[in-house]
């Protein structure tokens, strides 16, 4: 079986049987193509691949591609999935990736911005033209609802209920959830639909996408990242766009929301993923404690 056909059949399995999300399929496709190229370069065969060869491949990825522990764990997951597929296809007799342990991931605390910083960022977005109104609406919604970039890009018109303050989101694994947004986001959603979207769409455009580009097509994740970077630069902040989502979660917990509620709103499959935000909140408490009680700065809290 040729490499291109092998990859296509593997990706078809990821979608139909393993029910992997689109982004995961893209990541796995890249990783396995990289792995198969490694086998070719080393003049190794797939059927004779063992754990030692996989370890050599991962070492190459760390040395040449400079991947970190998080990316290494993803690579191992991709290899495990691929060799399950290869076993079903009778291409190999066993899965050598199952004996390789994934590195422990460092749970770095997510970066957050306070409300003043976020308000400053949003206030820098110039809303005198349709693109500016769209961006103000977009980033207000991401912050107010804690959306992922891919979720915002995937929204359709029918998914947004402005009067009800509800948006239907398709998250990781194509799982749907309902989340909420506040009055400020609702205001800019209305402004966008009344004053901007029609001008961007043009007369003949029939796209269902909620957020569209200047040519009337669905605004891509790359386009959202690019626009955020432009406005963030003008606001003098260096935070990544995902910081808006982190700040949303932290603000909810600081305001008294329980973890289960925040988990549902964020679309986390596991509560342990949400629990990292409790550490962020403790960090803010510690910072304020030391700020307002300077005499206790020498005490380890």
């Amino acid at each position: 079986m040729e490499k291109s056909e092998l990859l296509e059949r593997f990706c078809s399995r990821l979608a139909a049987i393993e029910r992997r999300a689109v982004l995961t399929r893209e990541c796995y496709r890249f990783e396995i193509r990289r792995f198969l190229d490694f086998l070719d370069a080393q003049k190794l065969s797939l059927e004779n691949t063992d754990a030692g060869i996989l370890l050599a491949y991962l070492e190459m990825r760390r040395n040449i591609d400079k991947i970190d522990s998080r990316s290494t764990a993803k690579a191992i997951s991709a290899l495990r999935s691929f060799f399950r597929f290869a076993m079903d296809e009778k291409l190999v007799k066993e899965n050598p990736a199952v004996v390789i342990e994934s590195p422990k991931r460092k749970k770095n605390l997510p970066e957050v911005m306070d409300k003043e910083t976020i308000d400053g960022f949003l206030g820098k977005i110039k809303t005198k033209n349709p693109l500016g109104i769209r961006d103000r609406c977009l980033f207000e919604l991401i912050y107010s609802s804690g959306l992922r970039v891919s979720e915002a890009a995937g929204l359709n018109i029918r998914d947004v209920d402005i009067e009800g303050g509800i948006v239907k989101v398709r998250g990781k694994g194509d799982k749907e959830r309902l989340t909420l947004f506040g009055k400020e986001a609702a205001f800019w959603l209305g402004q966008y639909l009344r004053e901007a979207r029609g001008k961007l769409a043009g007369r003949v455009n029939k796209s269902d996408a909620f957020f569209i580009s200047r040519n009337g097509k669905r605004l891509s994740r790359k386009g959202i990242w690019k626009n955020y970077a432009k406005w963030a630069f003008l606001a003098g902040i260096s935070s990544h766009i995902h910081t808006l989502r982190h700040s949303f979660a932290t603000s909810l917990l600081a305001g008294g929301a329980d973890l289960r509620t925040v988990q549902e709103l964020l679309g986390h499959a596991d509560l342990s993923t949400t629990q990292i935000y409790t550490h962020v909140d403790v960090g803010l408490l510690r910072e304020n404690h030391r700020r307002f009680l300077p005499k206790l700065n020498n005490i380890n809290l």
Side-chain angles (χ1 to χ4, degrees):
M1 191 183 306
E2 292 188 3
K3 187 188 304 182
S4 58
E5 181 184 355
L6 189 63
L7 279 171
E8 288 306 317
R9 292 178 66 171
F10 171 57
C11 290
S12 295
R13 173 195 171 98
L14 290 175
I17 298 177
E18 296 196 13
R19 308 289 293 176
R20 300 284 186 170
V22 174
L23 293 179
T24 301
R25 298 201 299 268
E26 291 177 359
C27 177
Y28 280 22
R29 177 194 288 271
F30 169 82
E31 194 64 57
I32 299 308
R33 181 188 292 116
R34 194 86 169 82
F35 170 65
L36 294 175
D37 288 344
F38 171 80
L39 291 183
D40 288 344
Q42 299 296 319
K43 294 181 171 48
L44 299 169
S45 64
L46 180 64
E47 56 268 25
N48 292 325
T49 297
D50 57 18
I53 292 174
L54 295 185
L55 289 173
Y57 166 72
L58 294 172
E59 185 67 18
M60 180 274 293
R61 291 278 276 129
R62 282 189 289 266
N63 291 336
I64 296 179
D65 300 327
K66 307 301 180 183
I67 63 173
D68 56 16
S69 59
R70 182 186 179 94
S71 296
T72 300
K74 288 182 179 180
I76 294 172
S77 295
L79 290 167
R80 288 172 181 166
S81 178
F82 175 70
F83 276 98
R84 284 196 298 269
F85 156 77
M87 287 179 66
D88 290 343
E89 293 289 322
K90 310 299 182 185
L91 300 175
V92 298
K93 294 181 180 179
E94 57 185 19
N95 187 341
V98 296
V99 300
I100 299 177
E101 293 186 5
S102 295
K104 293 183 179 180
R105 299 184 186 181
K106 296 181 180 178
K107 292 188 176 181
N108 297 323
L109 296 180
E111 182 183 2
V112 298
M113 292 186 285
D114 58 33
K115 190 176 185 304
E116 288 183 359
T117 302
I118 293 174
D119 287 344
F121 159 71
L122 294 171
K124 283 293 183 180
I125 301 176
K126 300 175 182 178
T127 56
K128 294 182 179 181
N129 59 59
L131 291 174
I133 294 173
R134 179 206 63 194
D135 286 352
R136 180 65 184 264
C137 171
L138 169 65
F139 298 124
E140 286 278 3
L141 183 62
I142 288 177
Y143 172 58
S144 187
S145 299
L147 301 185
R148 300 177 177 95
V149 173
S150 59
E151 294 170 347
L155 286 179
N156 293 319
I157 293 176
R158 63 179 178 273
D159 297 329
V160 181
D161 177 4
I162 297 179
E163 290 187 4
I166 299 173
V167 58
K168 183 172 71 174
V169 178
R170 280 168 293 280
K172 290 186 176 181
D174 291 329
K175 293 180 180 179
E176 291 189 353
R177 73 179 189 279
L178 296 178
T179 189
L180 310 174
F181 53 83
K183 292 181 180 180
E184 190 70 14
F187 171 80
W188 285 104
L189 286 165
Q191 290 286 94
Y192 169 66
L193 291 179
R194 286 191 302 270
E195 301 181 15
R197 192 184 182 282
K199 295 177 182 178
L200 294 174
R203 292 183 178 180
V204 298
N205 189 282
K206 297 182 180 179
S207 173
D208 292 329
F210 192 87
F211 292 110
I212 55 179
S213 62
R214 65 173 68 245
N215 59 13
K217 296 182 180 179
R218 183 181 296 276
L219 186 62
S220 67
R221 290 181 294 118
K222 186 176 181 179
I224 295 175
W225 288 328
K226 183 179 178 180
N227 292 335
Y228 175 84
K230 176 182 69 175
W231 298 119
F233 175 78
L234 290 177
I237 61 175
S238 59
S239 300
H240 190 274
I241 186 173
H242 212 61
T243 306
L244 293 175
R245 176 172 159 90
H246 296 324
S247 302
F248 161 81
T250 306
S251 296
L252 282 177
L253 288 170
D258 63 271
L259 273 175
R260 289 291 181 186
T261 298
V262 179
Q263 178 190 9
E264 289 296 323
L265 292 174
L266 290 174
H268 286 160
D270 194 330
L271 186 62
S272 63
T273 307
T274 315
Q275 285 176 328
I276 191 171
Y277 293 107
T278 63
H279 299 300
V280 174
D281 194 39
V282 168
L284 292 174
L285 288 174
R286 182 181 290 112
E287 179 183 343
N288 287 331
H289 188 279
R290 289 178 175 169
R291 178 183 175 187
F292 295 112
L293 294 174
K295 292 181 180 180
L296 299 182
N297 281 350
N298 60 337
I299 298 177
N300 293 323
L301 300 177

